[in-house]
């Protein structure tokens, strides 16, 4: 059974850092591009960052460029999001999402981890 | 960057009615358009990709159409379990932008 399990969320002060993890199982992790998508409380979905299956290509939304870093460890079947210089507007549930093979969208999502940025 | 605009932002219809949601891209994206359903408190679920291809196990009352800049999601006969927020997403290239969402309710 395919599973994506996020962890690492919590309460952090503005300017602080957090590292999110997404543990994958039930599929050949290294064959699939992955992304992080967030959803602020009561708001819509916002794509945050994406990474190719090999990890050689990474992509970021303008809102997090220069502050967040996406990476993956295919030997551990794990996706990461290093979040630095956190702002109140980064408060959201963060989902990891698996992309379908080829130029296709996200067919499987984790349950999400809540990040709250507040003093 | 390409912007994705959905309309309406919310709709209310009766069980059995036809419900239509539109999504407009600020530039052409071919058919690289997906639709997701997010029920209250749940994780988003992929309904349609390539503008009109139904994801496996999605009921046939859902359909998608369009290409270029204008796309439509249609629910042919609205059911109580279709209460959700629906999002379009472009995925031809980064950033993989979502529309702002359309909340569907039963009248």
């Amino acid at each position: 059974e395919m599973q994506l399990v996020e962890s690492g969320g919590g309460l952090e002060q503005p300017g602080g850092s957090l590292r999110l993890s997404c543990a994958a199982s039930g599929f050949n992790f290294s064959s699939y591009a992955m992304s992080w998508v967030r959803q602020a409380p009561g708001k819509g979905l916002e794509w945050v960052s994406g990474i190719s299956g090999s990890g050689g290509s990474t992509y970021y939304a303008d809102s997090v460029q220069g502050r967040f870093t996406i990476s993956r460890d295919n030997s551990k079947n794990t996706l990461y999001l290093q979040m630095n210089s956190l702002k109140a507007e980064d408060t959201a549930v963060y989902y990891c999402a698996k992309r379908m093979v080829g130029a296709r969208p996200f067919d499987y999502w984790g349950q999400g981890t809540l990040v709250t940025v507040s003093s | 960057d390409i912007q994705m605009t959905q309309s309406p932002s919310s709709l209310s219809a009766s069980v059995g009615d036809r419900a239509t949601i539109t999504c407009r891209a600020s530039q052409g994206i071919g058919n690289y358009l997906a639709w997701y359903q997010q029920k209250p408190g749940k994780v988003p679920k992929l309904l349609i990709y390539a503008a009109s291809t139904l994801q496996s196990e999605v009921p046939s009352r859902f359909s998608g159409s369009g290409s270029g800049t204008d796309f439509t999601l249609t629910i042919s006969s609205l059911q109580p379990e279709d209460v959700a927020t629906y999002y379009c997403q472009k995925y031809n290239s980064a950033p993989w932008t979502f529309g702002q969402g359309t909340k569907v309710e039963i009248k």
Side-chain angles (χ1 to χ4, degrees):
Chain A
E1 178 191 2
M2 194 178 304
Q3 273 202 316
L4 295 171
V5 180
E6 300 94 337
S7 60
L11 176 64
E12 183 57 64
Q13 293 187 342
S17 299
L18 278 175
R19 188 198 200 198
L20 305 185
S21 299
C22 172
S25 60
F27 64 100
N28 187 3
F29 182 67
S30 62
S31 294
Y32 295 91
M34 301 290 294
S35 273
W36 289 96
V37 177
R38 69 185 180 184
Q39 187 168 34
K43 302 298 183 182
L45 302 173
E46 180 187 14
W47 174 80
V48 172
S49 182
I51 188 168
S52 62
S54 67
S57 297
T58 57
Y59 311 89
Y60 299 93
D62 288 346
S63 57
V64 306
Q65 180 78 48
R67 301 188 299 122
F68 290 10
T69 302
I70 192 172
S71 62
R72 64 192 297 161
D73 186 337
N74 286 342
S75 69
K76 295 183 178 179
N77 288 346
T78 302
L79 175 72
Y80 302 101
L81 186 68
Q82 178 66 45
M83 309 165 64
N84 297 333
S85 302
L86 283 164
K87 304 175 181 180
E89 52 264 40
D90 295 321
T91 294
V93 173
Y94 285 73
Y95 298 101
C96 66
K98 167 188 164 292
R99 197 170 184 191
M100 299 168 75
V101 170
R104 291 185 174 181
F106 310 134
D107 64 340
Y108 197 78
W109 299 58
Q111 292 299 310
T113 186
L114 176 62
V115 171
T116 303
V117 183
S118 174
S119 55
Chain B
D1 292 343
I2 297 174
Q3 306 303 313
M4 306 300 293
T5 304
Q6 287 181 232
S7 61
S9 56
S10 66
L11 72 86
S12 181
S14 300
V15 172
D17 282 354
R18 185 182 193 90
T20 301
I21 300 168
T22 63
C23 178
R24 176 164 289 176
S26 59
Q27 298 176 38
I29 58 170
N31 69 339
Y32 291 94
L33 192 283
W35 290 98
Y36 297 86
Q37 175 193 63
Q38 187 178 31
K39 295 184 178 181
K42 300 297 186 181
V43 173
K45 173 187 174 183
L46 177 64
L47 293 179
I48 287 170
Y49 63 94
S52 61
T53 301
L54 217 59
Q55 176 69 336
S56 61
E57 300 184 7
V58 172
S60 59
R61 64 180 179 274
F62 291 93
S63 65
S65 64
S67 68
T69 59
D70 294 306
F71 303 88
T72 300
L73 172 69
T74 300
I75 308 173
S76 60
S77 177
L78 191 65
Q79 300 301 305
E81 59 266 33
D82 299 335
V83 169
T85 299
Y86 294 83
Y87 298 91
C88 63
Q89 182 201 28
K90 63 165 283 285
Y91 60 91
N92 58 321
S93 62
W96 293 296
T97 308
F98 291 90
Q100 79 276 20
T102 296
K103 188 174 184 179
V104 173
E105 299 174 321
I106 300 292
K107 194 180 293 183

